[in-house]
Amino acid sequence: MNTPTMTELYNTEILRLTTRIPHQGRLDNADRTAVKTSRICGSRITADAVVQNGVITGYGQEVKACALGQAAAAIVGEQVIGLTAPELLDIAGRFRAMVKTGDAAFPDKWHKLRLLAAVKDHPGRHGSVMLPFEVLEQIFADAQDAAD
C-alpha cells in the first residue's frame, strides 16, 4: 500500500470542511472550558461548553490548527450538541483506533470521520486530529468532577 502524499491527505473534502467549522467563537455562558495543544505541531483548540445533565447543550470553539485539525473540529462540531460522555468515549476510542490502524468503524452520523483515515500514515498529524476529542474528554471529566 502506498502512503498518501500530503497533497492526497489534504483532499478537496478535507479542505471544504475547514471552511465549515460549526460553533466558532467562545461562549459567554460556558460552564466548562478546555484548551488542548498538540505537542508535535502546535495546533490548539480552545473549547467552551454548557453541560446540563451530562449532555452538551452549548458549545463554542476557537480552532488554530492545520487543515486536518480543522476538519476534525468541523466533523465533531456537527455532532457536539446533544453529545453525552458515553457517546464521546465510544467515538473517541474508535477514532484513536482508526488513526493508528486506518480501520474505520463509525455509526452513520459519524461517517465523515472516515475522511481522516489516511492520517494513519502521517504521525506528525495525529495530535492535531485528536484535539477535538481531547477537549471534549476534558470538558466531560471536569463536569463529572464537579458533580462528584
Side-chain angles (χ1 to χ4, degrees):
M1 180 174 141
N2 292 336
T3 300
T5 66
M6 285 303 226
T7 303
E8 293 167 329
L9 191 59
Y10 289 93
N11 62 51
T12 303
E13 189 59 32
I14 294 293
L15 296 176
R16 186 175 294 122
L17 285 166
T18 68
T19 66
R20 299 180 181 152
I21 301 172
H23 310 291
Q24 289 194 75
R26 304 292 305 274
L27 289 186
D28 291 333
N29 63 334
D31 55 20
R32 301 281 170 256
T33 297
V35 180
K36 294 292 181 176
T37 304
S38 169
R39 288 175 275 174
I40 297 170
C41 66
S43 291
R44 172 180 289 197
I45 294 181
T46 302
D48 299 313
V50 177
V51 182
Q52 296 178 330
N53 300 317
V55 178
I56 302 259
T57 60
Y59 191 73
Q61 59 183 341
E62 186 176 85
V63 181
K64 296 182 179 180
C66 68
L68 295 169
Q70 291 176 46
I75 295 166
V76 172
E78 291 174 357
Q79 305 300 334
V80 72
I81 302 300
L83 187 65
T84 63
E87 181 182 11
L88 171 69
L89 293 175
D90 175 54
I91 297 306
R94 292 171 187 245
F95 190 74
R96 278 188 179 91
M98 183 192 74
V99 166
K100 289 179 185 173
T101 68
D103 295 329
F106 298 104
D108 285 344
K109 78 178 197 177
W110 292 96
H111 75 277
K112 287 184 184 177
L113 289 172
R114 293 182 188 114
L115 293 169
L116 296 164
V119 79
K120 164 186 85 82
D121 297 317
H122 299 277
R125 299 295 186 252
H126 292 186
S128 184
V129 298
M130 288 307 307
L131 291 175
F133 298 100
E134 291 173 357
V135 294
L136 286 165
E137 288 167 337
Q138 185 65 56
I139 284 168
F140 278 120
D142 292 350
Q144 182 61 46
D145 288 348
D148 289 344

